[in-house]
Amino acid sequence: MGKYDDLPREQLIELLNKRDRTKKLGLVWERDEIEADNAVDANFVAATIISELSGKAAPWRNMVIEGDNYDALRWLRMTMAGQIKCIYIDPPYNTGAKDWVYNDHYANPEDAYFHSTWLEFLFRRLILARDLLAEDGVIFVSINDEQRAKLELLLDEALPGMRIGSFVWRTKDSSNDADRNYSAVHEHVLAYAKSGFSFLGYKLDDKKYKHDDNDERGKYSLDPITKAHDYTERGNTYYPIQDPVSGWWYPCNPDSVWRFASKDRLKAGQKLRSETIEELIADRRIHFSGKSYFEFRSMKELSDAISEKRGPVDGNGRQLLRLDLPDLEFWVGKKIADGRPSRKAYWNEKEVTVKPVSSFILGAKEAMNADHHELVSEKQGKATGTIQDIFGKRVFQNAKPVSLVKSLLIAAANDDAIVLDFFAGSATTAHAVMELNAEDGGDRRFIMVSSTEATVDEPGNNLCRDITAERIRLLSASADPKFADLAAEFAYLRCREIEFEDLDQDLAPTEVWAALETLHRLPLTRYAQSPWQEHKTEDQTLIFADRVGTELLEHLLGVAERRENAFVYAWAPGQITAVLGDAVDVRSVRTELVGRFRQ
């Protein structure tokens, strides 16, 4: 019996009202969780290859999927769960613009929370995207400044524990709020990732490792050995250091004491996490930079020098010896070096030779120096010019620059990554993948998802066919030097919904074959409309038996004898196992696909 079963109606209503009045920490929007859960499995999604709209000849390693991205994501979750390395999306910004098929305005004034519909629209897609990510996968989401806070809270809800941070990039040069003297010319890219993800970073150059003692350790740089504490806070690391070769002494900066302890200052039983200064000196890991020295033969000479600001100084020209310091008489008669000691950091000993990715995306003009390794993006207007160069006219509004997406891919997508964009629009992400592969010889693959954006007034609209896919086709065939060496084949797939009870009759063999090839990580091929079809590689043999006959059974006996790593799918697998037993892995089409769809 449930804990509410015996409560009177009035008390149940009061509990519900109290729950509705209780405020939750974080983002709150109107949503029907039961309806949302049911929507995922409301029906089955199938996808079939439209050969005449596909780019180049099969086999196709890339995909362009036409359909509502909610349906496409459900299909991809069935076939590619846990395989996507990098997702980049530029979703609608909820600006109220009227030129998008969804009206770019998922805000219903009737909702208790004004942006509820927009938030729910994105939330349902983001939780599906989460299931697609590999354990080292990452998702980047572009958003403007106005909606950034809401979207970040939404991502926290949909992708709990996956937040990395955000990037800021400059979209244009002109101001859009001159009345307030404020130039809101930036947007954000929010980054969320699975636990195994780490940015690839950028290779460090070794230019600062210019010192060399001509020994087996090689080149080194000079790192400071001070820390931000004064001698009153860290008295145990305020001590003089002597160069054992020259005999010269180096005073400690009273405002920034040494980073390393001295064995002479250790307490009984004290354990250290790093070497003492004496150990570093003995191992020749301290560089002494003094070129000359000061020497004061009496306290008066020393005091006069301090008063007259003569004597050793730090890198900012501040006096290292002061009249108020303890043990000042120690320096009388000592040769006091004019330089500062540093630690030798050897290039050959570095465990990490990449530097972290910056949270600021620089403008292209700022990063023209080839030695500058940062995320780089051109302004938004450059993207419009690129599309005009490809199509010969302006066919898409507000595309992102290729350089923006490519920079993110350089930082996050290794050379064999699968990259997904389920708000593909003008296929900027595919363009970025193509450019990057051409530049570094990579083998990255893309999946672009786009709707038709057909409306009642314009039923013939097909954004996916005429812009998303067409951009890839035009780039692959372009003679323009700017697009040299850009080429990518792709299968054009179209999604449709099927009721589960109608699957056995309505799910076409072409749709089964596309799902099975994708599920087995194989490039897509045409379905030959034969009783059975086979896709064979060095690693596996995939067979789909639409109809079981003598010829197929004889072929499968040969597969079993050769001990191939074979997977056989059939509507009625019992017909095959009755002959082959367990010699071959035989699976039910319906059980396998529906089981994965409803995972």
Side-chain angles (χ1 to χ4, degrees), residues 209-444:
Y209 294 81
K210 57 187 177 182
H211 304 278
D212 197 336
D213 293 337
N214 296 315
D215 59 17
E216 70 283 355
R217 298 182 187 181
K219 293 183 177 182
Y220 59 88
S221 65
L222 298 178
D223 289 355
I225 60 171
T226 57
K227 59 183 178 181
H229 295 287
D230 67 30
Y231 77 101
T232 64
E233 298 171 300
R234 296 289 190 272
N236 62 329
T237 54
Y238 176 68
Y239 55 81
I241 295 176
Q242 186 179 32
D243 177 358
V245 176
S246 68
W248 297 355
W249 288 88
Y250 291 78
C252 184
N253 188 333
D255 299 318
S256 186
V257 297
W258 304 126
R259 187 178 300 275
F260 302 99
S262 168
K263 65 180 181 61
D264 295 333
R265 303 284 181 102
L266 294 180
K267 297 177 182 178
Q270 183 179 354
K271 294 182 179 180
L272 299 176
R273 288 178 293 179
S274 62
E275 306 98 322
T276 64
I277 191 67
E278 289 84 3
E279 289 170 331
L280 291 169
I281 291 172
D283 198 25
R284 298 182 290 114
R285 290 183 177 272
I286 298 297
H287 173 82
F288 296 98
S289 63
K291 300 291 190 253
S292 60
Y293 62 86
F294 302 91
E295 189 170 10
F296 307 105
R297 300 183 181 279
S298 66
M299 273 299 296
K300 185 177 186 312
E301 273 190 45
L302 177 58
S303 300
D304 289 346
I306 292 173
S307 299
E308 296 166 8
K309 296 186 178 180
R310 291 184 287 110
V313 296
D314 66 10
N316 296 312
R318 291 187 290 265
Q319 294 289 110
L320 294 173
L321 298 178
R322 302 196 306 247
L323 293 175
D324 62 334
L325 295 177
D327 302 323
L328 198 58
E329 63 276 4
F330 171 85
W331 298 102
V332 176
K334 299 289 195 302
K335 293 180 178 178
I336 308 170
D338 63 349
R340 306 299 295 141
S342 305
R343 186 180 185 183
K344 299 176 183 177
Y346 290 93
W347 174 260
N348 292 334
E349 295 179 355
K350 288 189 69 64
E351 294 182 3
V352 178
T353 57
V354 294
K355 67 176 179 176
V357 173
S358 170
S359 60
F360 287 92
I361 299 177
L362 302 177
K365 291 181 180 178
E366 300 172 77
M368 290 303 290
N369 185 342
D371 297 327
H372 205 59
H373 300 288
E374 299 289 349
L375 294 183
V376 176
S377 177
E378 296 159 313
K379 300 295 189 295
Q380 186 101 38
K382 178 68 175 178
T384 302
T386 299
I387 288 176
Q388 287 178 324
D389 290 342
I390 297 170
F391 286 89
K393 58 183 178 180
R394 185 170 182 172
V395 297
F396 193 85
Q397 302 286 338
N398 302 320
K400 290 294 183 285
V402 174
S403 54
L404 171 68
V405 182
K406 188 166 74 170
S407 278
L408 295 169
L409 297 182
I410 290 171
N414 44 6
D415 59 9
D416 62 350
I418 301 175
V419 179
L420 167 66
D421 184 345
F422 55 89
F423 286 98
S426 65
T428 297
T429 302
H431 189 159
V433 170
M434 294 165 73
E435 274 199 11
L436 192 52
N437 281 343
E439 290 174 7
D440 66 8
D443 196 29
R444 300 169 190 84

Side-chain angles (χ1 to χ4, degrees), residues 29 74 117 159 168 265 298 327 375 407 427 440 492 552 599:
W29 73 97
R74 290 195 290 155
T117 315
L159 313 174
V168 180
R265 303 284 181 102
S298 66
D327 302 323
L375 294 183
S407 278
D440 66 8
Y492 190 101
L552 171 63
Q599 61 187 314

Side-chain angles (χ1 to χ4, degrees), residues 340-560:
R340 306 299 295 141
S342 305
R343 186 180 185 183
K344 299 176 183 177
Y346 290 93
W347 174 260
N348 292 334
E349 295 179 355
K350 288 189 69 64
E351 294 182 3
V352 178
T353 57
V354 294
K355 67 176 179 176
V357 173
S358 170
S359 60
F360 287 92
I361 299 177
L362 302 177
K365 291 181 180 178
E366 300 172 77
M368 290 303 290
N369 185 342
D371 297 327
H372 205 59
H373 300 288
E374 299 289 349
L375 294 183
V376 176
S377 177
E378 296 159 313
K379 300 295 189 295
Q380 186 101 38
K382 178 68 175 178
T384 302
T386 299
I387 288 176
Q388 287 178 324
D389 290 342
I390 297 170
F391 286 89
K393 58 183 178 180
R394 185 170 182 172
V395 297
F396 193 85
Q397 302 286 338
N398 302 320
K400 290 294 183 285
V402 174
S403 54
L404 171 68
V405 182
K406 188 166 74 170
S407 278
L408 295 169
L409 297 182
I410 290 171
N414 44 6
D415 59 9
D416 62 350
I418 301 175
V419 179
L420 167 66
D421 184 345
F422 55 89
F423 286 98
S426 65
T428 297
T429 302
H431 189 159
V433 170
M434 294 165 73
E435 274 199 11
L436 192 52
N437 281 343
E439 290 174 7
D440 66 8
D443 196 29
R444 300 169 190 84
R445 289 176 286 159
F446 60 75
I447 302 171
M448 300 292 105
V449 179
S450 185
S451 67
T452 64
E453 298 205 358
T455 64
V456 174
D457 295 332
E458 297 178 289
N461 278 0
N462 195 324
L463 172 71
C464 187
R465 178 194 65 204
D466 299 335
I467 296 180
T468 310
E470 185 66 8
R471 180 174 185 172
I472 304 168
R473 294 190 199 96
L474 292 172
L475 286 171
S476 297
S478 178
D480 190 326
K482 292 194 294 293
F483 308 126
D485 302 321
L486 300 189
E489 86 293 337
F490 64 89
Y492 190 101
L493 295 99
R494 183 172 289 152
C495 288
R496 71 180 181 116
E497 298 175 348
I498 304 175
E499 297 302 319
F500 282 107
E501 58 267 26
D502 297 331
L503 274 181
D504 293 350
Q505 296 77 34
D506 289 359
L507 187 60
T510 55
E511 294 168 325
V512 175
W513 187 239
L516 293 179
E517 285 189 307
T518 306
L519 181 61
H520 282 265
R521 306 189 183 191
L522 295 169
L524 299 181
T525 59
R526 298 173 188 267
Y527 187 75
Q529 302 295 342
S530 60
W532 56 276
Q533 183 137 341
E534 180 177 80
H535 190 150
K536 191 171 184 177
T537 68
E538 292 181 1
D539 301 321
Q540 64 177 308
T541 299
L542 173 66
I543 297 174
F544 167 49
D546 186 42
R547 297 187 298 278
V548 178
T550 303
E551 183 183 355
L552 171 63
L553 292 173
E554 290 176 354
H555 179 72
L556 292 178
L557 285 169
V559 169

